[in-house]
Amino acid sequence: MNDEKSGVEVAVVSGLSGAGRSTAAKCLEDLGWFVVDNLPPELVSTMVELGAQARGVITKVAVVMDVRSRAFTDDLASVIKDLDARGYKPKVLFLEATDAVLIRRFEQVRRGHPLQGDGRLSDGIASERRMLMPLRDEADLVLDTTGLSVHQLRGKIEDAFGSESSARTRVTVLSFGYKYGLPMDADLVIDVRFLPNPFWIPELRDNTGLDSEVRNYVLSQEGAEDFLDRYQELLRLIGAGYHREGKRYLTLAVGCTGGKHRSVAMSEELAGRLASEDGMTVKVVHRDLGRE
């Protein structure tokens, strides 16, 4: 919900303890939101105003609030009213679940409920549910997480708060040389040393995989195009699976001996192919180019 006056989208995330606020906050961060957890209510409007003054650096602000403030419901109602009066029109997300599921989640992490006091866990849940009922009734979106896995919850939040671009899997194709070591952040590693090395061609030795002569030489070798075709299909399957599991970042490392010829040419070609795939944004990084 983007307000023309402020240029900043504002979301307030709340709901029952144990219903998934932390998961929602992490998902919003992955979608590009600036997330603040448990900020004192009197500072929320100030923080949003600072974001609006950041000249486009911060365009989406999400505030996660819970009942750790005893005056929670009055505070939150005031925050929403104040933001609305300032023209930000916050979107309120409320998360809930059944008592049985909430109790099981608390028992799994061996934590007490913030409103439990000297009573039972169920007493704290019941007290919180009563306290939050007015907020639930006014929320823009209520999500019952009772039967949702973490990945399903992420999917629903992405549908409600994500843009088409933010929901894409961001792929980094990273060329490297084995002589300099494996990239520590690689999710997948491709070894293209099965292709002839242009280093042993005198007229190609000083060029790199960015030069058309080297690129044409590498891609014309037996098995190069077949390898790219099959690996592109494999990545299509892997990318779809990553998307279902909520993974939005993939680093694909492509290695040859020195990271100058084969890995660079193959990385550029593979990145170009992946850029045409739905649901992916792609960038290329040549880690070791220029080290020789």
Side-chain angles (χ1 to χ4, degrees):
M1 188 174 295
N2 194 350
D3 182 77
E4 294 181 359
K5 169 183 172 293
S6 65
V8 174
E9 294 181 66
V10 181
V12 176
V13 180
S14 190
L16 299 173
S17 301
R21 287 194 311 263
S22 296
T23 298
K26 292 176 183 177
C27 182
L28 288 170
E29 284 184 342
D30 290 342
L31 292 173
W33 289 71
F34 182 80
V35 179
V36 181
D37 191 2
N38 202 35
L39 188 71
E42 60 271 16
L43 297 181
V44 172
S45 294
T46 300
M47 187 205 66
V48 173
E49 290 282 6
L50 290 174
Q53 296 170 14
R55 298 180 181 179
V57 176
I58 298 175
T59 60
K60 300 178 180 181
V61 177
V63 181
V64 183
M65 299 186 69
D66 60 30
V67 294
R68 281 174 282 183
S69 169
R70 288 293 180 173
F72 173 78
T73 50
D74 291 338
D75 288 345
L76 187 51
S78 298
V79 166
I80 295 172
K81 183 178 180 180
D82 184 42
L83 289 172
D84 191 63
R86 293 171 185 251
Y88 293 105
K89 304 186 184 303
K91 186 174 184 178
V92 180
L93 167 65
F94 188 92
L95 300 168
E96 64 180 6
T98 63
D99 287 5
V101 166
L102 293 175
I103 289 173
R104 184 172 70 247
R105 291 174 183 173
F106 273 105
E107 289 177 342
Q108 286 175 344
V109 297
R110 298 182 180 181
R111 292 178 53 220
H113 191 280
L115 298 184
Q116 181 176 347
D118 296 329
R120 297 180 302 163
L121 183 57
S122 59
D123 296 331
I125 294 173
S127 178
E128 184 180 38
R129 197 180 292 278
R130 287 192 301 270
M131 180 183 294
L132 297 183
M133 187 57 67
L135 175 62
R136 183 192 185 283
D137 292 341
E138 297 296 328
D140 296 286
L141 176 62
V142 177
L143 288 181
D144 186 337
T145 67
T146 297
L148 299 181
S149 67
V150 171
H151 306 308
Q152 290 171 330
L153 175 56
R154 289 183 62 96
K156 288 184 176 293
I157 293 174
E158 288 173 359
D159 290 341
F161 294 94
S163 62
E164 182 179 350
S165 60
S166 63
R168 289 172 171 263
T169 299
R170 302 173 199 177
V171 181
T172 299
V173 182
L174 173 70
S175 73
F176 73 96
Y178 277 94
K179 66 189 292 184
Y180 302 114
L182 286 167
M184 296 299 294
D185 59 344
D187 296 297
L188 301 170
V189 178
I190 300 175
D191 186 348
V192 296
R193 289 176 295 183
F194 70 92
L195 296 171
N197 192 348
F199 179 84
W200 303 113
I201 310 297
E203 58 268 29
L204 299 180
R205 179 175 299 174
D206 293 334
N207 293 339
T208 75
L210 296 177
D211 295 311
S212 60
E213 296 86 355
V214 173
R215 176 185 178 279
N216 293 337
Y217 174 84
V218 171
L219 295 181
S220 67
Q221 298 304 308
E222 183 178 358
E225 289 287 349
D226 287 343
F227 178 85
L228 288 167
D229 290 341
R230 287 164 173 74
Y231 210 87
Q232 182 181 1
E233 180 63 28
L234 177 62
L235 287 173
R236 188 176 294 129
L237 295 173
I238 292 174
Y242 275 14
H243 188 86
R244 289 191 298 271
E245 293 299 304
K247 183 176 176 62
R248 291 293 177 266
Y249 301 92
L250 169 63
T251 297
L252 172 62
V254 182
C256 64
T257 304
K260 179 180 180 180
H261 297 109
R262 292 166 290 180
S263 63
V264 173
M266 293 290 276
S267 292
E268 290 286 339
E269 177 64 18
L270 188 56
R273 293 179 175 217
L274 293 177
S276 64
E277 296 284 345
D278 291 335
M280 291 185 183
T281 58
V282 185
K283 71 174 181 178
V284 186
V285 176
H286 301 300
R287 191 192 73 175
D288 299 323
L289 195 60
R291 295 185 69 167
E292 288 190 346

